[in-house]
Amino acid sequence: MSLTPVPMLVDCDPGLDDAIALLTAAHFADLVGITTVDGNVGIDYTTRNALAVAQIAGLDVEVHRGAARPLADQSRGARHVHGATGLGNVELPEITRSVESEDAVGFIIETSHRVEGLHLVAVGPLTNVAEALHRDASLPERLEGLTIMGGAAVGGNVTAAAEFNIWADPEAADTVFRLGGDITMVGLDVTQQVLLRPAQVDQMSAARTPAAALAAELLDYAIDRSLELRGWAGAPIHDACAVLAVTHPQLFDGRRQPVDIELTGAHTRGMTVVDDRGSYADSDANVRVLRSADADAVIELIVEAVTAVR
Ligand code: RIB
Ligand code: CA
């Protein structure tokens, strides 16, 4: 971790793991803004949920509302994983926070001009990021990095071939992977190695803070769904891995490879096609694809962050 917290803007679709990622970013980075996008649930819920996390954790950070639907498809959702509201069955307090604007794209662009060394971390469908690139193609030149939770070198979760964030808006992902500059892809190859278990729920609950209590409830729900849907004894907290790939890069390993987005396959739409052949030109290796992580260290840092925030 660098001595000075890196400035970070998180674009998200809270979402159980997005919520934990926001707490992780708030602790380990200089979280300069949150933008919301349609994804796990609709934009009304993803935005309410982002405001709820900021309020409960006492985060002094702006939330800007973003895209209500993908570039080409209809809104899909992953309610079978995250619940109808996107935050499992958590009873939220009255949300007194409100969004700073309904122009997440404008905020992303404005922040890239205002904040030196900005890391944009996208942990939902890439609709806002693609729109930002369409509006200002020079955006990547002002970013220290663009880190994406999404895709997989092998396999998928929402289909056999595709990961949810890419599958939910493949046209946006195609734009971002072609025009997004220096991209780091934190895909399922990494995030499915980092499973949080009931022991972590207990550690979070023991902290007795509002943020840790929320995270414990979210994780408990995620573990139940993970067992039900995949037969796993733990839950992958995908999005927090993307945050930690920026703040603790030494815990992750990967290499630059060509990655294309499948847009038309009957069974493969939304697939990240990662070229493993090695015969490609360096200039074609557009994405740093992470392949492994020190899972125990990553889990410890997530618990540290969640229990340290108010
Ligand atoms: O496939 C996992 C990703 O999809 C995570 O970002 C999760 O929040 C969902 O958006
Ligand atoms: Ca997400």
Side-chain angles (χ1 to χ4, degrees):
M1 178 179 170
S2 62
L3 293 178
T4 311
V6 296
M8 184 180 289
L9 193 166
V10 177
D11 185 75
C12 55
D13 62 333
L16 302 168
D17 56 326
D18 304 68
I20 292 174
L22 290 175
L23 298 175
T24 307
H27 181 64
F28 286 118
D30 173 13
L31 182 59
V32 298
I34 299 170
T35 50
T36 61
V37 66
D38 164 81
N40 288 316
V41 287
I43 189 67
D44 288 343
Y45 270 127
T46 58
T47 303
R48 182 209 69 166
N49 296 342
L51 290 167
V53 172
Q55 177 177 314
I56 290 167
L59 306 184
D60 180 13
V61 61
E62 294 183 0
V63 177
H64 294 255
R65 178 186 167 112
R69 57 177 298 254
L71 296 185
D73 275 344
Q74 290 305 312
S75 175
R76 303 296 188 96
R79 293 167 186 79
H80 62 297
V81 176
H82 298 266
T85 70
L87 290 185
N89 46 26
V90 166
E91 289 288 317
L92 291 176
E94 183 199 354
I95 305 306
T96 55
R97 291 277 188 99
S98 51
V99 294
E100 291 300 316
S101 87
E102 301 199 355
D103 182 12
V105 171
F107 177 70
I108 290 170
I109 294 170
E110 181 273 326
T111 306
S112 74
H113 284 282
R114 178 168 46 84
V115 177
E116 187 72 27
L118 179 67
H119 281 269
L120 177 55
V121 179
V123 296
L126 293 168
T127 317
N128 290 337
V129 181
E131 292 278 23
L133 288 166
H134 288 150
R135 209 184 285 185
D136 180 350
S138 66
L139 172 64
E141 296 163 21
R142 295 188 301 277
L143 295 178
E144 188 66 26
L146 171 54
T147 300
I148 291 165
M149 190 282 132
V154 176
N157 55 6
V158 66
T159 72
E163 177 280 326
F164 176 81
N165 286 338
I166 308 299
W167 173 86
D169 195 343
E171 281 67 29
D174 179 52
T175 294
V176 174
F177 275 64
R178 282 187 296 103
L179 306 178
D182 178 19
I183 293 173
T184 297
M185 182 177 113
V186 186
L188 298 177
D189 320 279
V190 170
T191 65
Q192 290 181 165
Q193 295 175 28
V194 185
L195 301 183
L196 275 71
R197 292 170 167 77
Q200 280 74 57
V201 175
D202 296 342
Q203 288 172 299
M204 293 176 182
S205 303
R208 300 195 187 291
T209 62
L214 172 66
E217 256 196 279
L218 297 175
L219 178 57
D220 197 39
Y221 185 93
I223 290 169
D224 284 350
R225 299 308 301 140
S226 190
L227 182 61
E228 173 78 22
L229 295 169
R230 304 294 295 268
W232 293 343
I237 301 303
H238 307 276
D239 297 340
C241 295
V243 169
L244 291 170
V246 175
T247 60
H248 295 76
Q250 69 280 11
L251 299 180
F252 299 81
D253 190 41
R255 63 183 186 276
R256 300 196 67 78
Q257 299 180 257
V259 180
D260 293 300
I261 307 300
E262 176 57 61
L263 297 176
T264 58
H267 305 287
T268 54
R269 176 165 160 79
M271 177 179 179
T272 45
V273 183
V274 179
D275 188 341
D276 259 336
R277 290 171 297 172
S279 54
Y280 44 80
D282 284 351
S283 56
D284 292 337
N286 56 325
V287 179
R288 181 162 176 261
V289 179
L290 298 189
R291 297 286 185 139
S292 63
D294 177 343
D296 291 341
V298 169
I299 291 168
E300 262 181 53
L301 290 171
I302 293 171
V303 173
E304 175 189 328
V306 159
T307 53
V309 176
R310 188 188 83 165

